[in-house]
Amino acid sequence: MSAHSSFQRRDFLRFLLGPSLAAMLFLVMLQELFGAGTTWLVIRVARDITEAHVTAGDFVWIVVAQTCSYLAGAASWIYAERTGFTAFGKYLLHFARSNRFRTALLGDAQARESTEPFLTNESFRVCFDLMYDLQFYLRLFFNIVFNATVLGMEIDAGLPLAYVLAFALLVILQWTLRKPLAAAYLHNQRMTNRMMARTYNAWDNIFSGNRYNFRLWHGDLRDRLGAALSAQVRAILAREGWSAISGIIALIIVLAATAWVAVNESGNVALLIALAATLPRQIEMTLDMHQLTAGMTDLLAIWTRIKGICEHMQPAGDERLEERIDFDRLVLKVGDSESSCTSLAEALKVVFAEPTGLVSVRGGNGAGKSTLLVALKACVGGRAYYWPAHDRLNFRFNTKGGAPMPEIDPDDEAEEPETFNAEEAAQEKTGYSSGERQLQVLREVVVETAQPIYLLDEWDANLDARNRQAARELVGQLAARARVVEISHRDAR
């Protein structure tokens, strides 16, 4: 199933909506209002200088206004972070709801490799890249609007018009260049993803110790690395080149307007002093303006990345399970009787023939025993509890908050997610052999779950004779209250 027909980028943006986003927006506006208030106070001080009315209180108010601006800005980042974390949590929850019963994809390596980066990395980074950019560019926007308003009210009405003209011209130029800039970013993302995809099999090609396989892997990685670097350089040159041009355009327009005011008001000493006092602020605003318009490129790049998230919200995969089952080689054993099925529908009839009891699936390697269990799960959904072979499912006994945090050393670097994942996986196995873990899982399933159907894939694969007897008793408890469909490499007794 393709995701782009049902989940669009606007749906992803809804994950950002909430009280935290509203608080961030309010605080950003408050920050720039106080900043514009500082500009107004500087103009008043400049005029007081000409009249010799300057007091220490004037400078105290400047400190107070700018301090409030800094504090509001710092607080806005807190709510930007909250918005990003909340959005990522909503994304994962929506992904879970959309794919919970698509069990067929569990063994689809291609679908997993294409989708997993969005679950483990890309979507999280997109949430925060988007929030950082929104916070930053909203601040620039309100800074320009509020300060330009103050300059127009206190110095000359032509100054805000100059900013409007410069901003409109830069937006038009940015819109004209949007496609080549977007193409550069898209190519950069594709080449980077292509390079990163090759690292997924680094472990196998390195630790197998085969020189032949390693040479092929290394050569391919080197080619992809070069292509990714070239794409990255082109994208940076496109962005930074445009940034330089836009900054020069904005500076020329604004300083030309300022010079025009200075020439026309050459006899107004108070105004000229105020103009001189705010000149650094005006230069800063031209820098903000070109960063704001150039930021359209960054937002466009994030918009492109969100498209990838949307397209993988419901991963596409080959879910034609029944075609992969060789029913001629499968037998469903119930007690002493055996049944052969020619279709999934017939297998379902055997499963639902009785409300309780054990159904053993037998057949040679490659016959599709595990695929049959997946197909049954896909058919009955939440009515069945499915325990796949070689699982990484969370259970109460192995979910204890993860690996303990190490002591903080300021000289250390933060661990990567992969490191924590490996540490927690190792901790889950601490104190348990594979057979003991299977017993723990079965005990917890018996006590904590209450489904009418249980699908157990290779539940006895790692058990010795003693533990296998204990596990068989647990499976028997399940079969006494529900229908259990199981796969074992040993004949059921």
Side-chain angles (χ1 to χ4, degrees):
M1 179 177 179
S2 178
H4 66 269
S5 61
S6 58
F7 190 82
Q8 304 292 331
R9 281 177 278 196
R10 63 177 178 272
D11 300 311
F12 181 83
L13 293 180
R14 291 193 185 103
F15 294 155
L16 301 174
L17 300 179
S20 294
L21 181 64
M24 185 206 74
L25 180 61
F26 171 75
L27 288 168
V28 167
M29 294 179 65
L30 196 63
Q31 175 188 9
E32 298 310 324
L33 276 172
F34 279 119
T38 302
T39 301
W40 181 82
L41 289 169
V42 168
I43 294 173
R44 304 308 301 174
V45 168
R47 287 178 171 169
D48 288 344
I49 289 175
T50 63
E51 300 174 3
H53 291 159
V54 180
T55 65
D58 295 332
F59 295 96
V60 170
W61 281 112
I62 291 176
V63 172
V64 170
Q66 197 59 39
T67 299
C68 291
S69 176
Y70 291 151
L71 292 176
S76 71
W77 280 114
I78 296 174
Y79 288 98
E81 294 281 353
R82 289 174 62 91
T83 303
F85 272 93
T86 302
F88 183 65
K90 289 179 180 178
Y91 157 74
L92 282 178
L93 182 59
H94 188 89
F95 183 90
R97 289 171 174 168
S98 300
N99 297 285
R100 183 179 174 190
F101 297 120
R102 300 184 67 200
T103 314
L105 292 176
L106 192 61
D108 192 325
Q110 183 176 358
R112 177 173 181 171
E113 288 181 3
S114 63
T115 304
E116 200 167 49
F118 292 95
L119 294 173
T120 58
N121 188 329
E122 176 67 8
S123 297
F124 183 80
R125 295 188 184 278
V126 164
C127 286
F128 285 92
D129 288 346
L130 181 57
M131 287 313 304
Y132 291 157
D133 283 354
L134 282 178
Q135 200 276 353
F136 180 67
Y137 295 124
L138 283 172
R139 186 184 66 78
L140 296 182
F141 175 76
F142 290 122
N143 175 48
I144 294 169
V145 170
F146 294 153
N147 278 285
T149 301
V150 170
L151 293 173
M153 293 171 57
E154 296 295 327
I155 296 179
D156 190 278
L159 291 177
L161 295 177
Y163 283 101
V164 170
L165 175 62
F167 184 74
L169 182 58
L170 294 185
V171 168
I172 292 172
L173 291 174
Q174 183 69 40
W175 182 257
T176 304
L177 296 173
R178 74 189 188 284
K179 289 187 177 180
L181 289 172
Y185 271 98
L186 181 60
H187 181 64
N188 177 31
Q189 182 187 2
R190 285 174 174 170
M191 291 299 100
T192 300
N193 289 345
R194 183 172 175 268
M195 175 193 69
M196 296 301 295
R198 185 50 65 223
T199 64
Y200 281 99
N201 62 354
W203 190 273
D204 303 84
N205 284 281
I206 292 172
F207 286 93
S208 65
N210 299 324
R211 182 177 299 176
Y212 172 76
N213 302 105
F214 174 77
R215 186 173 65 249
L216 292 175
W217 173 82
H218 182 262
D220 187 38
L221 175 64
R222 185 177 55 205
D223 292 341
R224 295 183 183 213
L225 189 66
L229 175 60
S230 177
Q232 179 90 344
V233 170
R234 286 198 295 271
I236 291 174
L237 288 176
R239 182 187 64 191
E240 295 304 322
W242 158 242
S243 295
I245 294 172
S246 63
I248 293 171
I249 292 173
L251 190 62
I252 290 173
I253 294 175
V254 171
L255 290 186
T258 302
W260 180 83
V261 172
V263 170
N264 282 273
E265 300 289 341
S266 58
N268 189 338
V269 177
L271 185 143
L272 291 178
I273 293 177
L275 193 63
T278 59
L279 191 58
R281 173 75 85 178
Q282 294 191 58
I283 294 175
E284 176 189 345
M285 290 167 62
T286 62
L287 175 64
D288 291 346
M289 190 179 302
H290 99 80
Q291 286 184 317
L292 180 59
T293 54
M296 293 175 61
T297 304
D298 295 332
L299 292 173
L300 187 61
I302 295 175
W303 186 248
T304 302
R305 292 165 63 189
I306 292 175
K307 181 181 179 182
I309 295 174
C310 296
E311 290 176 346
H312 289 85
M313 179 58 74
Q314 292 175 287
D318 183 7
E319 300 186 41
R320 296 170 296 179
L321 296 173
E322 191 167 0
E323 298 177 8
R324 304 206 307 263
I325 303 173
D326 189 351
F327 287 99
D328 293 336
R329 299 170 58 196
L330 291 182
V331 172
L332 302 184
K333 188 175 181 180
V334 182
D336 294 328
S337 65
E338 296 183 351
S339 302
S340 297
C341 301
T342 60
S343 67
L344 180 61
E346 291 186 11
L348 284 168
K349 289 181 180 179
V350 174
V351 172
F352 286 111
E354 298 290 341
T356 61
L358 187 69
V359 180
S360 298
V361 182
R362 298 294 181 260
N365 291 335
K369 300 188 296 295
S370 297
T371 304
L372 176 60
L373 258 61
V374 171
L376 291 173
K377 173 65 176 178
C379 287
V380 299
R383 297 177 61 195
Y385 182 91
Y386 173 53
W387 184 24
H390 314 296
D391 72 286
R392 282 295 309 276
L393 300 177
N394 275 35
F395 292 95
R396 192 183 305 278
F397 79 92
N398 64 6
T399 304
K400 302 175 181 178
M405 294 295 295
E407 292 293 329
I408 300 297
D409 185 341
D411 293 328
D412 287 344
E413 294 183 358
E415 294 85 349
E416 293 295 325
E418 293 81 2
T419 302
F420 279 116
N421 181 53
E423 290 176 354
E424 291 181 349
Q427 187 188 37
E428 289 174 8
K429 299 177 182 178
T430 300
Y432 299 103
S433 67
S434 56
E436 290 172 332
R437 179 187 183 277
Q438 285 181 272
L439 280 179
Q440 287 289 98
V441 169
L442 280 171
R443 291 189 186 105
E444 192 167 325
V445 168
V446 169
V447 173
E448 300 292 343
T449 65
Q451 266 70 37
I453 300 173
Y454 287 84
L455 308 171
L456 310 181
D457 192 350
E458 299 185 12
W459 58 271
D460 60 350
N462 300 302
L463 301 176
D464 56 23
R466 181 175 61 85
N467 285 332
R468 188 167 186 270
Q469 180 58 37
R472 192 198 309 278
E473 293 175 0
L474 291 168
V475 173
Q477 293 181 40
L478 289 176
R481 72 185 196 212
R483 195 65 157 170
V484 177
V485 184
E486 59 94 25
I487 296 174
S488 172
H489 288 297
R490 302 173 178 85
D491 292 331
R493 297 178 184 176

